[in-house]
Amino acid sequence: MSNGFQVQDRFAEGAQYIGGKLLPGTSGHHHEVVNPATGRCVLRYELAGADDVDAAVAAARAAFPGWSAATPGERSEAMHRFAAVLAEQADDFAYAESLQCGKPIKLSTEFDVPGTVDNAAFFAGAARHLEGKAAAEYDGDHTSYVRREAIGVVGSIAPWNYPLQMAAWKVLPAVAAGNTIVLKPAELTPLTSLMFAQAATEAGIPDGVINIVTGAGKEAGEHLVGHPDVVMTSFTGSTAVGKRVAEIATATVKRLHLELGGKAPFVVFDDADLEAAVHGAVAGSLINTGQDCTAATRAYVQRPLYDAFVRDVAALMDTVRLGDPFDPATDLGPLISHAQRDRVAAFVERARGYARVVTGGEAPGGDLADGAYYRPTLVADAAQDSEIVQSEIFGPVLVVLPFDTDEEGIALANDTPYGLAASAWTRDLYRANRATREIQAGCVWVNDHIPILSEMPHGGYKASGFGKDMSAYSFEEYTQVKHVMYDNTAVARKDWHRTIFGDR
């Protein structure tokens, strides 16, 4: 499939977007964007270096006074235009997202792009609802109120699994609140982040409000996090890298927003609708080829349903169609790279020594041999403390374990360092209420797994980080609170001063 979108032509001037212009990087190091379905290069570009990060931060800092001083209505109008431009260019965004990530075109078309447009529309509305607290007299004749204000230049780092949506989740709430931003996308997948910033310019958002630097994490990323003119860092990625980001940010006392790893439990009680749970487990574990921090990775099934669940999930996984991402019939695309495919395969190979690989566990051959494909894989009977249960795999692998009592199922669900998302499957209201109350995760679905909404927060507990994406909660995170207090009396008050200094 080709929609006429020519990557080389689109980014001939470079893969950095600074002050409203595409520019080449200055690091002296080049990188290739590779289509993981074919292993072929689609764009070769020069990476950003420290000088590019400095230029992007300077552009964002210069744009901040004007953008933060715009009225909420003015920012809202610009962002509504932004949403309209994104919608007009939906086909190009879907094509570029599938090209660089290998995700099925139906996922890009039906989920990633519409979700991004919806996010833009939501935060366009949110821009008009930046509120403080009502004024009141808490101390005699003094009136106090609270202002919410933009904080300045935000430096954000996004991952490669959902490049377009992660750009939206980072940029939109920050910009709606009046901040300016420098976003570093993953060097594997910069295309749609760059297009996103270009679309903002087309919509009339001022130059410098949204800047993109595409560079390596060690050079461009760490320099962005440590930059003295960046007042907040937002990072989505692994917990290990998140710790490094926090360490660097602490040196300049930056505000931090971290959305880190996940190992989502999928808890099936014995009264659950088995067919619904089986379909939910396959969809929830294989979404985006399992490269999703909220994907269902650990299924805990109450023992009366365990054997049937394992049998039916394996059978359904065997019907999943791997293929060309641009074929509308394809259900599952490749992993992001051969290196990631090999990493996933190594987890499964090690698990063969202590668990049962029920289906999958191999890369396909034939027409798919050149791509980074891996078959949907079901692993059963692993121990709770085993690597494949405790570690984030980030691939199309689901592990199934049995449990006996409700207490045991919930305890097993909580028994990892992570706490990003989870689901509970039951027809019993009491069980559902108990599970949603006791499972330690930022989101708990009941009889479903994976849906997200612009109006609802996304973010984790424990080692999955802190802070929220999407929703009004996200919007407020990109603001700072100021207490304003003034004296209402017509003459200068001296009573307070006398209390402290005496009569002088």
Side-chain angles (χ1 to χ4, degrees), residues 317-349:
M317 278 186 169
D318 288 343
T319 70
V320 171
R321 293 166 298 214
L322 283 71
D324 178 0
F326 293 107
D327 182 345
T330 294
D331 298 319
L332 198 73
L335 291 148
I336 189 65
S337 66
H338 287 86
Q340 179 66 13
R341 192 266 316 272
D342 294 345
R343 178 181 180 275
V344 171
F347 270 104
V348 177
E349 290 308 306

Side-chain angles (χ1 to χ4, degrees), residues 1 32-43 95-103 188 191 323-326 334-338 370-373:
M1 170 187 171
E32 291 183 347
V33 177
V34 174
N35 177 354
T38 64
R40 299 191 190 101
C41 174
V42 298
L43 178 69
Y95 175 79
E97 192 78 339
S98 288
L99 184 69
Q100 67 182 353
C101 297
K103 63 180 64 187
L188 292 171
L191 304 183
D324 178 0
F326 293 107
L335 291 148
I336 189 65
S337 66
H338 287 86
D370 291 336
Y373 290 90

Side-chain angles (χ1 to χ4, degrees), residues 83-377:
V85 173
L86 292 171
E88 290 167 4
Q89 298 177 8
D91 289 346
D92 283 350
F93 275 103
Y95 175 79
E97 192 78 339
S98 288
L99 184 69
Q100 67 182 353
C101 297
K103 63 180 64 187
I105 191 65
K106 63 183 178 183
L107 181 63
S108 296
T109 301
E110 298 174 15
F111 181 73
D112 292 45
V113 176
T116 300
V117 173
D118 187 69
N119 268 216
F122 173 81
F123 284 109
R128 303 193 77 145
H129 294 278
L130 185 61
E131 60 182 11
K133 298 292 182 181
E137 287 69 46
Y138 298 101
D139 177 25
D141 293 322
H142 288 83
T143 296
S144 289
Y145 63 91
V146 170
R147 291 173 54 91
R148 280 197 175 271
E149 299 178 340
I151 58 178
V153 177
V154 177
S156 293
I157 300 175
W160 46 255
N161 57 333
Y162 288 98
L164 177 59
Q165 286 206 309
M166 293 296 101
W169 290 10
K170 300 295 184 194
V171 170
L172 294 171
V175 168
N179 302 290
T180 56
I181 192 166
V182 178
L183 172 73
K184 192 199 87 65
E187 55 267 39
L188 292 171
T189 54
L191 304 183
T192 47
S193 298
L194 292 164
M195 293 166 61
F196 187 79
Q198 289 176 304
T201 298
E202 292 178 41
I205 292 178
D207 294 346
V209 171
I210 301 172
N211 306 274
I212 309 293
V213 289
T214 304
K218 194 70 177 173
E219 184 173 1
E222 292 198 1
H223 190 64
L224 177 62
V225 174
H227 201 290
D229 291 334
V230 170
V231 298
M232 176 178 176
T233 294
S234 177
F235 170 80
T236 296
S238 71
T239 298
V241 178
K243 291 177 181 178
R244 175 61 179 156
V245 168
E247 179 185 350
I248 297 169
T250 299
T252 49
V253 201
K254 284 181 172 54
R255 183 180 299 194
L256 267 178
H257 174 286
L258 300 175
E259 200 262 83
L260 307 176
K263 191 71 177 173
F266 186 100
V267 184
V268 183
F269 294 98
D270 58 13
D271 68 326
D273 181 321
L274 179 61
E275 182 180 6
V278 166
H279 281 80
V282 172
S285 64
L286 301 184
I287 182 76
N288 201 34
T289 319
Q291 298 167 125
D292 188 313
C293 49
T294 63
T297 59
R298 299 178 289 137
Y300 297 102
V301 183
Q302 207 151 23
R303 206 168 292 276
L305 294 183
Y306 181 73
D307 290 339
F309 182 88
V310 171
R311 178 197 67 216
D312 293 353
V313 167
L316 188 57
M317 278 186 169
D318 288 343
T319 70
V320 171
R321 293 166 298 214
L322 283 71
D324 178 0
F326 293 107
D327 182 345
T330 294
D331 298 319
L332 198 73
L335 291 148
I336 189 65
S337 66
H338 287 86
Q340 179 66 13
R341 192 266 316 272
D342 294 345
R343 178 181 180 275
V344 171
F347 270 104
V348 177
E349 290 308 306
R350 290 192 295 270
R352 292 184 192 276
Y354 56 80
R356 176 167 55 106
V357 178
V358 182
T359 191
E362 62 182 5
D367 294 341
L368 304 181
D370 291 336
Y373 290 90
Y374 196 75
R375 294 195 186 282
T377 299

